[in-house]
Amino acid sequence: MSKSFFTSESVAEGHPDKLCDQISDAILDEVLRQDSKGRVACETYVTMGLLIVGGEITTRSYVDTHRICRELIKDIGYTHPKYGFDHETCAILNAIHSQSPDIAMGVDAGGAGDQGIMFGYACDETPELMPLAIMLAHKLIRRMSEVRKKEILKYLGPDGKSQVTLEYQNGKPVRVDSVVLACQHTEDILDKSGNNITNKARGELIDTIAKYVLKNWIDQDTKFYVNQTGKFIIGGPQSDTGMTGRKIIVDTYGGTVAHGGGAFSGKDPTKVDRSAAYMARYVAKNIVAAELAAKCLIQLSYVIGYPEPLSICVETYGTGKLSEEKFIKLIRENFELSPQGIIKSLNLLRPIYRNAACGGHFGRTEPEFTWEKTDKSELLKKQASRL
């Protein structure tokens, strides 16, 4: 029996980096809501008491950056100085300027907004056709947010992280070996020493979050690490700076496969860092859904100002039922791979991105996540049978 372990992590909506991702995408959404032809490359930086929004935006619309930022910070939960960051009192600096006309020349003609490589992946480990570890890590974070916002555990703050280590036997996940929860909290649950949360609180976090989500994946040997330093009162921008695009592995496949290097948040879909990564996921997911492979990694590459990908690479890790050449033929015949074709086929010029900025961009069931559809799987299956 071959045994191995693999780990993925996720971060909460109040994590400083994720706060920045959400603000960048909220500004993108506001531009697209008013001007579908707007061009956005927006990045955010946050530290104690200060948030800076910068980047390049060209649009006919008016975007009230301060209002969007304060409303989002409030919605995430930074509503009181006790959390070290407050939507009413933090300073906000707007450093946005227009996009370079040199880039616009190529993009306006239908070309890619930049060079780069993008990856998409799917596998049959979960109903969402995603790696199990990252899906469980995301579900822990969503549950953490739920119990905070519903005041099931009233002492929780907006910041937090999760981590899940799976044990694999013969290439299949069989159990959760360890779980890590880092949950920001108030002083209410500290023991008499003031340096550790109480055993009661630790048990509540394990029962209400970890065991609630993981259920049949855990056993008596599963290890739980909860606020391992003892306490986590100082969190969010008070404890760490945050920047857009620093959680790219959390956003994608949890480290199971390669990442192209480009972040998603704050970029309109003419930027292939985002749109081509969504298309690569769409292609890979439909191939796995068609049962043409148990695992599928798609790599696309682009150059600025040119519409078609320079290369397509297909890796199925020995599980594919076709050669790579035949897979590429199927892909070219059934998927639009130019930036404009991707935007049109996936309907990407809509204000849908703030929701994607936390909890992963893939493996989602919300209807606006068009790249998660498997509507081409039957067609691929039929065409593959003739190759």
Side-chain angles (χ1 to χ4, degrees):
M1 180 181 68
S2 173
K3 181 188 292 189
S4 61
F5 298 87
F6 188 81
T7 303
S8 291
E9 69 162 351
S10 186
V11 298
E13 58 193 332
H15 185 281
D17 294 328
K18 270 287 148 237
L19 171 65
C20 291
D21 285 342
Q22 291 170 90
I23 286 175
S24 294
D25 272 339
I27 291 171
L28 168 61
D29 281 351
E30 185 60 26
V31 171
L32 292 177
R33 189 174 288 112
Q34 301 180 51
D35 177 12
S36 64
K37 295 182 179 180
R39 297 285 161 72
V40 180
C42 175
E43 299 190 11
T44 306
Y45 168 86
V46 67
T47 187
M48 185 186 299
L50 173 65
L51 186 142
I52 302 173
V53 182
E56 302 82 43
I57 297 179
T58 300
T59 180
R60 299 188 305 269
S61 63
Y62 170 72
V63 178
D64 188 342
T65 302
H66 282 242
R67 177 187 61 79
I68 289 171
C69 291
R70 294 194 191 280
E71 287 180 356
L72 191 143
I73 294 166
K74 179 181 179 182
D75 184 56
I76 287 172
Y78 286 113
T79 57
H80 194 281
K82 68 183 178 182
Y83 298 127
F85 196 72
D86 180 30
H87 73 287
E88 291 184 328
T89 59
C90 68
I92 297 174
L93 174 63
N94 185 340
I96 293 171
H97 58 89
S98 61
Q99 187 183 70
S100 164
D102 296 348
I103 295 175
M105 285 192 301
V107 175
D108 290 344
D114 202 351
Q115 71 176 56
I117 56 174
M118 297 83 209
F119 290 92
Y121 180 71
C123 63
D124 61 4
E125 277 189 6
T126 64
E128 300 90 354
L129 303 184
M130 284 283 288
L132 179 60
I134 187 65
M135 291 304 296
L136 293 178
H138 285 326
K139 288 177 181 178
L140 287 171
I141 287 299
R142 291 190 189 106
R143 178 61 177 169
M144 192 184 298
S145 178
E146 179 183 31
V147 300
R148 172 174 65 90
K149 290 185 173 181
K150 289 184 177 179
E151 297 190 337
I152 297 171
L153 298 178
K154 296 183 179 181
Y155 47 76
L156 287 182
D159 198 357
K161 301 176 77 172
S162 70
Q163 187 170 286
V164 176
T165 299
L166 292 176
E167 179 183 327
Y168 282 76
Q169 293 180 10
N170 299 321
K172 299 291 184 182
V174 295
R175 59 181 291 272
V176 169
D177 182 69
S178 66
V179 184
V180 177
L181 292 178
C183 305
Q184 186 186 14
H185 60 86
T186 61
E187 295 183 351
D188 306 29
I189 57 170
L190 294 179
D191 63 16
K192 292 181 179 179
S193 73
N195 294 318
N196 295 281
I197 62 172
T198 63
N199 290 332
K200 177 179 180 293
R202 182 174 282 104
E204 287 175 344
L205 293 169
I206 292 172
D207 291 341
T208 310
I209 299 173
K211 291 184 177 179
Y212 181 91
V213 170
L214 301 174
K215 297 176 182 176
N216 296 332
W217 287 105
I218 58 178
D219 56 29
Q220 62 182 6
D221 296 321
T222 298
K223 300 175 283 293
F224 297 92
Y225 301 93
V226 179
N227 288 14
Q228 197 62 21
T229 62
K231 62 181 180 180
F232 183 11
I233 293 174
I234 300 173
Q238 184 182 21
S239 63
D240 287 305
T241 60
M243 293 185 71
T244 301
R246 287 207 298 204
K247 286 290 176 283
I248 57 177
I249 301 303
V250 170
D251 286 342
T252 54
Y253 306 100
T256 301
V257 295
H259 189 290
F264 301 153
S265 290
K267 296 177 181 177
D268 76 77
T270 66
K271 280 73 171 175
V272 284
D273 276 339
R274 177 168 227 153
S275 55
Y278 289 177
M279 176 54 76
R281 162 65 176 170
Y282 182 48
V283 173
K285 188 172 184 181
N286 275 273
I287 287 173
V288 174
E291 299 180 343
L292 299 178
K295 300 178 181 180
C296 182
L297 177 69
I298 303 293
Q299 185 206 56
L300 304 173
S301 70
Y302 291 82
V303 62
I304 189 168
Y306 187 75
E308 295 299 323
L310 301 184
S311 66
I312 304 172
C313 176
V314 182
E315 173 61 69
T316 58
Y317 308 91
T319 70
K321 296 180 180 179
L322 301 173
S323 66
E324 182 178 18
E325 183 180 5
K326 290 181 177 179
F327 271 122
I328 291 174
K329 185 175 187 297
L330 272 183
I331 292 167
R332 288 195 181 275
E333 289 178 351
N334 291 282
F335 296 93
E336 294 282 351
L337 300 178
S338 68
Q340 293 303 317
I342 294 171
I343 288 168
K344 184 177 179 181
S345 60
L346 297 181
N347 195 15
L348 296 180
L349 292 177
R350 297 173 294 147
I352 58 174
Y353 297 106
R354 184 257 163 121
N355 190 32
C358 188
H361 292 248
F362 307 120
R364 306 287 288 268
T365 59
E366 297 92 326
E368 63 267 27
F369 287 70
T370 51
W371 52 93
E372 291 298 312
K373 296 188 298 183
T374 55
D375 55 333
K376 290 186 179 286
S377 59
E378 289 302 317
L379 179 61
L380 294 179
K381 189 180 295 186
K382 289 178 181 178
Q383 291 185 5
S385 66
R386 305 189 196 107
L387 295 177

